[in-house]
Amino acid sequence: GAKVVHVFYHLARYVVMKKMKKLSVGTGIPFAKAVKWRPRDMYIVKARHRVAYSKLLQILQREDFVFQEYVGKAQ
């Protein structure tokens, strides 16, 4: 269920952060800091999420339309 997905997400995030810290040692690239970054204004985060979600939905709908047109013309 949702709890299992949540646990796996945190486990995967932990593993990725440890790996990034290990790989970024001595490179001067602050990847690990970027992963830990938390936004201050959640309104902006939610707005960006809505925009990205809408854009993805539009792309998928367009792809489905093109696919349906292709299938229709192939028959």
Side-chain angles (χ1 to χ4, degrees):
K3 289 184 180 182
V4 173
V5 171
H6 188 72
V7 169
F8 276 118
Y9 167 76
H10 282 287
L11 176 64
R13 184 170 184 247
Y14 175 79
V15 170
V16 168
M17 283 179 48
K18 288 295 180 184
K19 186 76 170 179
M20 287 173 63
K21 283 181 184 178
K22 184 178 177 183
L23 292 175
S24 66
V25 170
T27 61
I29 302 171
F31 287 126
K33 289 181 183 177
V35 172
K36 288 184 177 181
W37 178 76
R38 294 279 186 208
R40 292 183 186 174
D41 190 0
M42 288 304 291
Y43 175 77
I44 293 175
V45 172
K46 289 178 182 179
R48 287 181 179 166
H49 175 264
R50 284 191 304 269
V51 169
Y53 181 79
S54 297
K55 186 68 174 173
L56 176 63
L57 185 60
Q58 288 174 358
I59 291 169
L60 293 175
Q61 287 173 337
R62 189 176 319 131
E63 181 181 313
D64 183 55
F65 175 76
V66 169
F67 181 74
Q68 294 298 327
E69 288 290 316
Y70 178 75
V71 169
K73 289 181 180 179
Q75 292 177 352

